[in-house]
Amino acid sequence: MARGTADGGPHPVDRHVGRRVCEKRISLGYNQSDLGKALGLTFQQIQKYEKGANRVSASKLWDIARFFKVDIGYFFQGLSASEQGVPGMAEAGAAGFDHEFKSTRHTIEISRLAPQLSVRQQKLALDMIREMAN
């Protein structure tokens, strides 16, 4: 059962953490089955975590962080507590995370490969992407 928001959808923090799990998994080249096997879960459970439909428990988040070799804080980076209505948790006016940004395998691979390009090639690629986006 979804919980956390007035419209019955997943809580924004659960969606954010799930999105960070998904982005890291893809950037490291794992599929949902690989991560599931490493954690003793099914790929369906990984899907639910990544969509925010199921909350990731603290112990499971610890296991995921160890598997990815990242700090637990990685999954919360970019999340503004003030945006979530939690007073005293973040500075007022801090930029919040855009929860509607949909990372795909392609956008993650582009960001992973871009640093391998020369500065000139990066500029050309950026110009091309901007032109295509318009």
Side-chain angles (χ1 to χ4, degrees):
M1 180 170 142
R3 73 272 147 241
T5 60
D7 66 353
H11 191 280
V13 174
D14 297 326
R15 288 191 353 237
H16 178 83
V17 169
R19 184 167 293 124
R20 296 289 288 172
V21 169
C22 180
E23 290 172 356
K24 191 63 171 177
R25 175 183 58 76
I26 292 171
S27 73
L28 293 174
Y30 294 110
N31 61 38
Q32 291 174 333
S33 294
D34 295 333
L35 180 56
K37 286 176 189 170
L39 302 173
L41 301 170
T42 63
F43 79 89
Q44 292 97 333
Q45 183 60 47
I46 301 301
Q47 284 178 332
K48 291 176 183 180
Y49 285 161
E50 291 182 357
K51 290 179 183 177
N54 284 10
R55 289 184 176 147
V56 182
S57 70
S59 60
K60 203 53 77 176
L61 193 60
W62 176 265
D63 291 340
I64 294 169
R66 285 181 41 208
F67 180 74
F68 289 157
K69 296 181 174 72
V70 296
D71 185 69
I72 290 270
Y74 167 84
F75 301 107
F76 299 96
Q77 288 174 354
L79 183 65
S80 171
S82 64
E83 182 180 81
Q84 301 306 320
V86 182
M89 291 293 291
E91 294 182 21
F97 181 77
D98 180 2
H99 293 285
E100 300 310 313
F101 173 72
K102 303 293 184 198
S103 293
T104 65
R105 180 174 300 278
H106 303 294
T107 60
I108 293 168
E109 187 169 358
I110 289 168
S111 66
R112 184 176 58 82
L113 293 173
Q116 297 174 21
L117 302 174
S118 69
V119 173
R120 183 179 185 289
Q121 290 172 322
Q122 288 177 19
K123 183 184 180 321
L124 289 171
L126 179 60
D127 289 344
M128 181 181 69
I129 291 170
R130 282 183 180 147
E131 182 66 29
M132 292 168 61
N134 291 332

